[in-house]
Amino acid sequence: MNLLAHPELLELLAASHALGTLRGGARRRFEALAREQAPVRAAALVWQGRLASMTELQPSVAPDPAVWTRIRNMIDAEQSALALERQREAARAAGESRQGGWLSSLALWRTATAAGALATVLAVAVGLNLRDQLQNAPAVQYVAVLSDDKDAASMLVTFDPKKKQLVLQRVGSYREGDDKSLQLWALPPGGAPRSLGVLGNAPGLRLAASESDVAVPALAISLEAKGGVPPGSGPKGPILFKGALVEKTL
């Protein structure tokens, strides 16, 4: 299936991938598509950024007491089951010595099962208000994954039309020196590069912009002297990252 022709499905898969609920072969196929297709990769990075920002900015939420009661009951039930299994193993040990290794592994598997169940319940507790958070997530009209000359993603750029903001998130390891600045450029067809702003060194950045500023096929980032080039000038330093700007369905 061509995910680009089904934007709602792409958003659902990207969100599931970021949450960790997309597993097995479906997860591997989605990651393969993300490596091959920039829009799919961009959707995955957008949702990773959304969820990461939620954990940093959202206040902690105390789970309902019933959640802890269920956790306690699960632990007690598992401990009782383990104790009963140990008794059965001891009773069978004399006549089943050849199966001893297999039997001894039962406790390990049951412990792992209990840990997995506990993790699931905790995930439910942490995500009690996730639906409300996702509903309040920023709108994204344009998205670009800017990569270096080795096609390694280095910067995720999205445009929020409601707040009239460009939101940039560093996704690579590149860091400019203290005497240098990164500068973002719009690349209009047949025209000179147009500066969209000088970037700070924080992992996440926001720049004021209008839709007309980002209605271009591609974006690029150059390495400039500290403070960037003067208004009206084109890039003076090397272009480090560039990528197509894709309009998404809101």
Side-chain angles (χ1 to χ4, degrees), residues 176-181 224-227:
E176 65 276 21
D178 294 337
D179 60 338
K180 299 289 184 180
S181 292
E224 306 293 348
K226 191 68 175 180

Side-chain angles (χ1 to χ4, degrees), residues 127-141:
L128 287 175
N129 67 341
L130 181 59
R131 178 178 299 176
D132 292 337
Q133 294 177 7
L134 293 180
Q135 289 176 346
N136 296 325
V140 175
Q141 183 176 2

